[in-house]
Amino acid sequence: RRLTGHGNGRLDAVANILKAYTGIPFSLNGYEQHALTEGTSAKAITYLSVTADGESCWGAGVHDDSSSASVRALCTALNNLLSRREG
């Protein structure tokens, strides 16, 4: 599927897409990002938390691009939240 979203940045746009697609009105809470190594080609790792209906889950993402690491962390956190609800 091709989805389109809007936001004040890439992470916000992806979060808005996922809220609409899943129907879960989650919010982003904790957010941390840092480089895993030194230099201009370092990979970034992002940790973030999502909360929905009083339940919070964390996710982590790694990528060469810091924005992509953030999106991966968001997808992981949302996956963790959905897994808890199903299981």
Side-chain angles (χ1 to χ4, degrees):
R1 289 191 162 174
R2 178 174 230 151
L3 304 170
T4 302
H6 302 281
N8 64 4
R10 186 197 260 183
L11 183 60
D12 189 42
V14 172
N16 290 334
I17 291 169
L18 292 173
K19 287 175 191 176
Y21 186 75
T22 63
I24 300 171
F26 63 87
S27 62
L28 297 173
N29 295 322
Y31 179 96
E32 293 288 329
Q33 186 175 73
H34 61 87
L36 289 173
T37 58
E38 294 182 11
T40 58
S41 62
K43 287 188 177 190
I45 185 164
T46 302
Y47 308 94
L48 62 78
S49 172
V50 297
T51 300
D53 299 325
E55 187 174 13
S56 294
C57 284
W58 282 88
V62 175
H63 197 274
D64 295 338
D65 175 69
S66 60
S67 292
S68 294
S70 296
V71 169
R72 287 180 178 201
L74 172 59
C75 290
T76 303
L78 194 54
N79 247 353
N80 289 339
L81 182 69
L82 292 171
S83 292
R84 259 195 210 169
R85 290 181 172 200
E86 292 175 357

